[in-house]
């Protein structure tokens, strides 16, 4: 615990959250005022550290990882008259975009609020849940295939 045998593999990033699985780990970037983010999620495995770029720079800091680690997702709020936000699901293996879910005002109503979402590896589904502004005691759940 004194650090004498420590092997430093990367000094370039300030790591945010870290998720560990059987043979790899995922990490996102930490928020630091004055330091620009790379806009990526990182996979650490026996081959080293791999950088997987995100589709949009606003996805940083909004990472959700599936229970089994096969996927990670991001949520991006949109300043648009038609869309409220995007939920994007990526493969943890290679960083490829698996699914993009645009949540529109037309489909869910002007006052809908996305509470969160779960990515279920075993069922190959994404479960989204939320409420509506002014009707917080009512909620909705939507489930879609990966």
């Amino acid at each position: 615990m004194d650090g004498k045998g420590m092997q430093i593999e990367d000094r370039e990033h300030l790591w945010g959250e870290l998720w560990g699985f059987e043979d790899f780990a995922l990490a996102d970037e930490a928020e630091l005022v004055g330091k620009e983010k790379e806009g990526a999620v990182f996979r650490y495995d026996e081959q080293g550290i791999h950088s997987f770029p995100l589709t949009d720079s606003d996805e940083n800091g909004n990472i959700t990882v599936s229970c089994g680690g096969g996927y990670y997702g991001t949520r991006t709020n949109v300043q648009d008259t038609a869309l409220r936000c995007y939920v994007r699901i990526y493969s943890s293996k290679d960083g490829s975009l698996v699914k993009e879910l645009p949540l529109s005002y037309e489909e869910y109503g002007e006052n809908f609020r996305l509470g969160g979402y779960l990515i279920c590896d075993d069922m190959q589904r994404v479960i989204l849940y939320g409420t509506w502004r002014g009707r917080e005691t009512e909620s909705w759940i939507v489930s879609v295939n990966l």
Side-chain angles (χ1 to χ4, degrees):
M1 296 301 291
D2 63 4
K4 288 180 182 174
M6 188 167 50
Q7 178 181 350
I8 298 174
E9 298 203 24
D10 187 294
R11 294 180 187 266
E12 299 298 315
H13 291 91
L14 292 173
W15 303 110
E17 288 196 57
L18 180 68
W19 298 270
F21 301 98
E22 188 172 324
D23 56 354
F24 71 97
L26 292 175
D28 67 357
E29 295 177 278
E31 292 282 343
L32 182 64
V33 175
K35 181 165 174 54
E36 190 171 330
K37 289 183 162 189
E38 184 176 325
V41 168
F42 301 88
R43 178 185 169 109
Y44 178 76
D45 58 27
E46 62 187 19
Q47 283 82 41
I49 298 173
H50 314 277
S51 175
F52 299 147
L54 298 171
T55 302
D56 188 312
S57 62
D58 291 335
E59 292 177 281
N60 280 330
N62 294 309
I63 308 299
T64 297
V65 177
S66 64
C67 295
Y71 304 94
Y72 59 91
T74 64
R75 171 181 165 174
T76 305
N77 290 330
V78 178
Q79 303 300 320
D80 189 309
T81 57
L83 290 175
R84 171 73 173 148
C85 63
Y86 282 103
V87 172
R88 292 184 179 102
I89 309 299
Y90 298 88
S91 167
S92 294
K93 183 176 181 180
D94 60 9
S96 62
L97 181 63
V98 174
K99 186 89 167 179
E100 184 174 75
L101 303 166
L103 303 179
S104 69
Y105 289 117
E106 181 180 344
E107 187 173 358
Y108 293 97
E110 184 177 322
N111 293 316
F112 89 89
R113 300 290 178 260
L114 178 63
Y117 61 97
L118 301 170
I119 308 166
C120 304
D121 304 70
D122 56 348
M123 297 186 324
Q124 292 291 293
R125 311 261 315 154
V126 179
I127 302 168
L128 303 107
Y129 57 94
T131 63
W132 290 272
R133 184 176 58 209
R135 299 185 344 220
E136 285 78 9
T137 58
E138 299 176 32
S139 62
W140 53 268
I141 292 180
V142 174
S143 175
V144 296
N145 288 328
L146 276 172

